Amino acid sequence: MELLMSILIGLMFAAAIYLILSKSLLRIIIGTAILSHGVNLLVLTMGGLKRGDAPILGLKVTSAYNDPIPQALILTAIVISFGVTAFFLVLAYRAYQELDSESVSKTRGHEADDE
């Protein structure tokens, strides 16, 4: 299962980097969202499934359990990435209103052609 998740994480990172390197602001925003989801999956996969006794005092249960710390970190990261994505969308909308274009080259002040 870890191998499948690792391949999925690698594909998400590759797609996110491809989108981030484009000239369109909307593609950059989607790329950062995909990258944050890939990082969340990476943290969850690296947290793994623990074997042996659960760390509960007074009980002797031998079964598999999950560590709650990576799950709490991922929940926090989801909220932060939602806020960052919302900020990027508002920023892109405002830039589109001012410049009448969503090209990154227009935001830098260059007069490059839009391809």
Side-chain angles (χ1 to χ4, degrees), residues 10-81:
L11 289 174
M12 288 180 80
F13 278 12
I17 290 172
Y18 175 76
L19 288 172
I20 288 173
L21 292 176
S22 67
K23 289 185 178 183
S24 173
L25 282 175
L26 198 57
R27 285 185 176 193
I28 293 171
I29 294 169
I30 292 170
T32 56
I34 291 174
L35 186 66
S36 68
H37 290 304
V39 170
N40 291 340
L41 280 176
L42 179 67
V43 170
L44 186 65
T45 303
M46 292 298 110
L49 188 64
K50 309 293 185 212
R51 302 273 183 214
D53 292 340
I56 300 174
L57 296 176
L59 295 176
K60 293 294 182 187
V61 179
T62 57
S63 63
Y65 67 94
N66 283 335
D67 189 13
I69 299 295
Q71 295 176 6
L73 289 173
I74 290 169
L75 186 61
T76 305
I78 288 170
V79 172
I80 292 170
S81 68

Side-chain angles (χ1 to χ4, degrees), residues 80-96:
I80 292 170
S81 68
F82 176 73
V84 169
T85 303
F87 173 71
F88 281 163
L89 285 171
V90 170
L91 189 67
Y93 179 68
R94 183 73 176 131
Y96 180 74

Side-chain angles (χ1 to χ4, degrees), residues 92-105:
Y93 179 68
R94 183 73 176 131
Y96 180 74
Q97 281 181 338
E98 287 292 319
L99 302 171
D100 291 330
S101 175
E102 67 164 344
S103 177
V104 175
S105 60

